[in-house]
Amino acid sequence: MSKLRVHCFAISVDGYGAAPGQSLEHPIGEGGLALFDWLFPTRTFLRLHPGVVPGDAEGETGVEDDLAARGFEGIGAWILGRNMFGPVRGPWPDESWRGWWGDEPPYHTPVFVLTHHARAPLRMAGGTEFRFVTDGLESALRQARDAAGGRDVRLGGGVATIRQSLRAGLVDELHLAIAPVLLGRGEHLLAGLDLPALGYACAEHVPGARAAHVFLRRTSPPS
Amino acid sequence: MSKLRVHCFAISVDGYGAAPGQSLEHPIGEGGLALFDWLFPTRTFLRLHPGVVPGDAEGETGVEDDLAARGFEGIGAWILGRNMFGPVRGPWPDESWRGWWGDEPPYHTPVFVLTHHARAPLRMAGGTEFRFVTDGLESALRQARDAAGGRDVRLGGGVATIRQSLRAGLVDELHLAIAPVLLGRGEHLLAGLDLPALGYACAEHVPGARAAHVFLRRTSPPS
């Protein structure tokens, strides 16, 4: 069966996957962007987000670019939590919010957005289509697997969605980037989760120049 | 003034500095020794703990050996929490427990052991003398600084002692080794501590082959 994979999800040394205070100006909370200082200079990131960095930087290759690229290999659909799609809370006031990523988001597949509030699908340039799922994570996963046509499904985040997926034993592989920063507060990714009891082990460690990378994999059913 | 430094303190990816179930057979709890798989093969560790590894392995040099050695540079005294000294709880039944480390412990300085139960000093081979402090951490730090004669004081652990020291803003530098293992349960090092608010920042990241190393430093007074 196609796998559910998380890639390039960054946490601080003290374990936070997002800082407090998400807003339009601070998509990962105030100070949260520092979690991704390892990712932003990579060629893979820059090619998928043209115009983010002034000039025409080609981007770095190497370990961290390889890891960024690995996260797109064999992916046929994405799932995103509502907050990862945008800062809007509650019912959609109108159709104007179209994600953080401009006209051509970096997904290039169907993207299933978890929300409590129905909304018509949103077709973007480059093959991304946002589809809004109101009946929960497991339904989104079924729909994403159907759409992926045998390829894997990538779960983008955020913290609450990944925690829910780990608790339910749905995640097959989780690439964590441990960024050399302290946040002190925010959304803690692993607090209170007993991952070995949920069947997970740390299967791989990839030292990077700008962050430490580990791959957690589900190796046994939950105990 | 002489600094209070923590070195080579290992935590799991999920943030635990010790596993549950400390005992004579499991000094860092059941499964906890995996936190130090990066340290055991180093030349510095093997020289300080002769006989731990069968044969006469010389030990590895390189990044992680350099970090192990750095932890002994300029140190004139140590502080250890009671549990790091041994598995005995409550009043000392007798004088028979002399630490985990055999006749010649790896400290080679005065070592101030925090305890609620008085005990006579214990002189070991190689210059280590265990002195038992019953009036708290700040008293131990004063005594250790006196004994260190201008050199720095190293705080060995365990988790509870380091947390207390961070909360009080006493630690100047903390080298954390993030080991690529999951523990799931145990003593969490940083839960509920807002390190930036306590004046700490992540000042250095050293990628190692077997663990990720970061140095946290106090850069400002607690806010």
Side-chain angles (χ1 to χ4, degrees):
Chain A
M1 190 159 76
S2 88
K3 290 182 175 164
L4 181 62
R5 293 157 43 192
V6 180
H7 285 266
C8 300
F9 198 84
I11 59 172
S12 62
V13 169
D14 44 356
Y16 297 98
Q22 193 199 33
S23 67
L24 192 55
E25 293 73 34
H26 302 288
I28 313 170
E30 292 180 38
L33 280 180
L35 292 171
F36 292 95
D37 280 346
W38 64 274
L39 179 63
F40 295 140
T42 64
R43 177 171 294 186
T44 297
F45 181 85
L46 291 175
R47 285 191 174 167
L48 287 166
H49 301 80
V52 163
V53 172
D56 51 2
E58 257 299 282
E60 296 178 11
T61 57
V63 167
E64 282 159 337
D65 184 56
D66 292 346
L67 289 168
R70 188 165 154 183
F72 290 90
E73 286 163 13
I75 299 294
W78 284 67
I79 297 173
L80 301 184
R82 166 76 180 266
N83 295 359
M84 197 169 156
F85 178 68
V88 184
R89 300 289 181 270
W92 305 99
D94 53 45
E95 304 279 301
S96 63
W97 180 261
R98 297 163 62 83
W100 304 99
W101 307 275
D103 291 334
E104 186 172 341
Y107 303 106
H108 307 289
T109 68
V111 176
F112 295 85
V113 178
L114 300 163
T115 169
H116 294 294
H117 304 280
R119 180 170 166 182
L122 191 57
R123 188 163 294 188
M124 310 293 289
T128 296
E129 183 175 285
F130 294 113
R131 302 183 194 168
F132 300 89
V133 179
T134 56
D135 55 350
L137 174 64
E138 307 218 4
S139 168
L141 182 54
R142 274 193 303 277
Q143 295 179 55
R145 284 200 161 120
D146 282 350
R151 285 180 294 165
D152 291 342
V153 176
R154 181 162 164 183
L155 175 59
V159 168
T161 307
I162 293 177
R163 287 176 60 83
Q164 183 187 355
S165 305
L166 288 168
R167 262 207 191 95
L170 298 174
V171 176
D172 294 289
E173 178 173 276
L174 170 56
H175 161 211
L176 276 187
I178 303 168
V181 297
L182 292 171
L183 290 181
R185 296 181 305 135
E187 295 180 62
H188 202 282
L189 183 66
L190 300 177
L193 291 182
D194 184 342
L195 288 183
L198 289 167
Y200 293 90
C202 186
E204 193 180 341
H205 167 227
V206 183
R210 288 188 299 268
H213 303 274
V214 292
F215 284 79
L216 313 183
R217 296 209 179 92
R218 198 150 52 91
T219 55
S220 56
S223 64
Chain B
M1 188 160 77
S2 88
K3 290 183 176 163
L4 181 62
R5 292 157 44 193
V6 180
H7 285 266
C8 299
F9 198 85
I11 59 173
S12 62
V13 169
D14 43 358
Y16 296 98
Q22 192 199 32
S23 67
L24 192 55
E25 294 72 35
H26 302 289
I28 312 169
E30 293 180 38
L33 280 179
L35 292 171
F36 292 95
D37 280 346
W38 64 274
L39 179 64
F40 296 140
T42 63
R43 176 171 295 187
T44 296
F45 181 83
L46 290 174
R47 286 191 175 169
L48 286 166
H49 301 79
V52 163
V53 172
D56 50 1
E58 258 298 282
E60 296 178 11
T61 56
V63 166
E64 282 159 338
D65 184 56
D66 292 346
L67 289 167
R70 189 164 153 183
F72 291 91
E73 286 163 13
I75 298 295
W78 284 66
I79 297 173
L80 303 184
R82 165 76 180 266
N83 295 0
M84 198 169 156
F85 178 67
V88 184
R89 300 289 182 269
W92 305 100
D94 53 45
E95 303 280 301
S96 63
W97 180 261
R98 298 163 63 84
W100 304 98
W101 307 275
D103 291 334
E104 186 171 342
Y107 304 105
H108 306 288
T109 69
V111 177
F112 295 85
V113 178
L114 300 164
T115 169
H116 294 295
H117 304 280
R119 180 170 166 183
L122 191 57
R123 188 163 294 190
M124 309 294 288
T128 297
E129 182 175 287
F130 294 113
R131 302 183 195 168
F132 300 89
V133 179
T134 56
D135 55 349
L137 174 64
E138 306 217 5
S139 168
L141 182 54
R142 275 194 303 276
Q143 296 180 53
R145 284 200 161 118
D146 281 349
R151 286 180 294 164
D152 290 342
V153 176
R154 180 163 163 183
L155 175 60
V159 168
T161 307
I162 293 177
R163 287 175 60 82
Q164 184 187 354
S165 305
L166 287 168
R167 260 205 194 99
L170 297 174
V171 176
D172 295 289
E173 178 174 275
L174 170 56
H175 160 210
L176 276 186
I178 303 168
V181 296
L182 293 171
L183 290 181
R185 295 181 305 135
E187 295 179 64
H188 202 284
L189 184 66
L190 300 178
L193 291 182
D194 184 341
L195 289 183
L198 289 167
Y200 293 91
C202 186
E204 192 179 342
H205 167 227
V206 183
R210 288 188 299 266
H213 303 273
V214 293
F215 285 78
L216 314 182
R217 296 210 180 91
R218 198 149 53 90
T219 54
S220 57
S223 65

